[in-house]
Amino acid sequence: EGDLSAGAGGGFAPGAASARGQARTLVGAVGAQRSHFAEMTSAYGGSPGTGTLGISALAYLPLVTVLSSRRVAVGAIRKEEWEPCRVMMNVIIDEGLSWPFLQEYDTMDAFCGYFLSHAAFVVRAEEAGVDSDGNPSQKGDLLGMFYVKPNFPGRCAHVCNGGFITFPRFRRQGVGRLMGSCFLKFAKDLGYKASYFNLVFASNPESLALWESLGLSRVAHIPRCAEIKGFDDLVDAYGYRQDLEALPSDFDPLAFAARRPSKVWVRARNLHRLYVAVAPTLLPVSLVLLFLAIRRS
């Protein structure tokens, strides 16, 4: 991912405090919507929608910042963007590297039932610029897309899920980090209490590093979970969780996205992961060494 910094007028909107008040009322609205939204809805299903469920609580949209020297906006998806987003969803499914699906979304109704069932957003170019290869990119180009929806039905519908796609020609420009940071803010303000990502594949180190740099915790490990293109053996997957209630009330997604993890933090994280991996064997090995030492003495 590339550099990310807030642009002129792109800081978090002054009206965010009032939006937070609206978001608190949305928690009650979420409960009132159970019949449509939670009883049979999960991360992998839903009724066809427009991607605007609850969007009125996010009165500060769009958020504007700078990526790769041009202004971009994070805002609600527009109807004219549904088709390019459906096409890109199918491109990523066919790529076979980061999503679990085999079947592409051949109809708009099917795509709306999955990606647009609740709240959906895009990263949109506010001015001309260049893509990751230096080729021209026009105002209005889509750089990324993501949704926020319940991960589980009914009594667990306060745990949300997010699905993220960076358009391939704009990879390594900070789009994924921007979307992930905005996801945390939007999900909290939509009334969710936690987020959980079900399947982050071990074969996707960039995704693993992104979620950990944004503060998500790896809480699950599913061995030999996925058939990924280019891999002869099954690939492991991890589950990542974020406590949205722990986010500060003045959380600014643009400033948060602009902060890059330090090399010290990255090394500490890798050492901790190594320790967690080897810790279960340390005690048995220590006991064996102690036993051998006693026998020799």
Side-chain angles (χ1 to χ4, degrees):
E1 296 292 328
D3 292 333
L4 174 66
S5 57
F12 196 54
S18 61
R20 284 194 292 273
Q22 293 175 359
R24 294 189 188 98
T25 66
L26 184 63
V27 177
V30 167
Q33 294 167 349
R34 295 290 184 194
S35 60
H36 160 75
F37 170 124
E39 292 305 323
M40 293 305 294
T41 295
S42 72
Y44 301 111
S47 302
T50 60
T52 58
L53 187 61
I55 292 293
S56 60
L58 310 181
Y60 45 78
L61 292 180
L63 296 182
V64 180
T65 188
V66 171
L67 292 180
S68 295
S69 303
R70 72 160 160 191
R71 290 191 312 133
V72 302
V74 184
I77 192 170
R78 298 169 180 166
K79 188 170 183 178
E80 62 267 25
E81 295 166 337
W82 293 3
E83 177 60 16
C85 285
R86 183 189 71 85
V87 170
M88 184 51 59
M89 178 90 205
N90 289 337
V91 168
I92 299 303
I93 291 173
D94 182 66
E95 192 178 54
L97 300 176
S98 54
W99 288 66
F101 306 137
L102 289 172
Q103 183 67 41
E104 296 181 7
Y105 288 93
D106 294 329
T107 68
M108 183 56 69
D109 195 57
F111 175 73
C112 290
Y114 175 68
F115 211 93
L116 304 183
S117 64
H118 291 78
F121 309 90
V122 297
V123 181
R124 187 183 301 114
E126 291 288 285
E127 56 192 10
V130 296
D131 64 15
S132 299
D133 294 325
N135 298 315
S137 167
Q138 304 305 314
K139 178 180 179 180
D141 281 352
L142 299 180
L143 284 67
M145 53 193 270
F146 68 101
Y147 66 72
V148 184
K149 64 191 294 186
N151 203 344
F152 310 108
R155 299 183 186 278
C156 300
H158 61 279
V159 180
C160 69
N161 180 259
F164 304 82
I165 293 175
T166 298
F167 284 47
R169 62 182 293 221
F170 298 109
R171 287 170 178 167
R172 302 179 305 281
Q173 290 194 349
V175 179
R177 186 171 180 83
L178 176 61
M179 292 193 295
S181 184
C182 287
F183 166 85
L184 297 176
K185 176 65 180 174
F186 298 173
K188 180 181 177 70
D189 287 351
L190 287 169
Y192 295 100
K193 299 180 183 297
S195 68
Y196 184 71
F197 298 162
N198 303 301
L199 298 170
V200 183
F201 299 135
S203 55
N204 191 348
E206 293 83 5
S207 184
L208 299 177
L210 172 62
W211 302 131
E212 290 171 15
S213 73
L214 291 176
L216 280 72
S217 300
R218 184 187 293 184
V219 296
H221 177 200
I222 310 172
R224 296 175 55 78
C225 177
E227 297 178 0
I228 301 298
K229 282 189 176 181
F231 288 79
D232 295 331
D233 203 0
L234 294 172
V235 169
D236 292 2
Y238 302 108
Y240 280 87
R241 181 184 183 275
Q242 174 67 42
D243 180 1
L244 297 173
E245 293 184 302
L247 288 181
S249 59
D250 60 349
F251 178 77
D252 182 341
L254 301 184
F256 189 64
R259 293 206 307 262
R260 315 300 296 184
S262 68
K263 293 182 179 179
V264 173
W265 182 90
V266 172
R267 288 177 186 147
R269 180 200 66 197
N270 292 339
L271 286 173
H272 178 261
R273 174 144 310 131
L274 177 62
Y275 170 77
V276 170
V278 303
T281 65
L282 291 179
L283 181 58
V285 170
S286 298
L287 290 175
V288 169
L289 293 175
L290 178 61
F291 174 74
L292 292 174
I294 292 174
R295 287 194 59 186
R296 290 175 181 173
S297 61

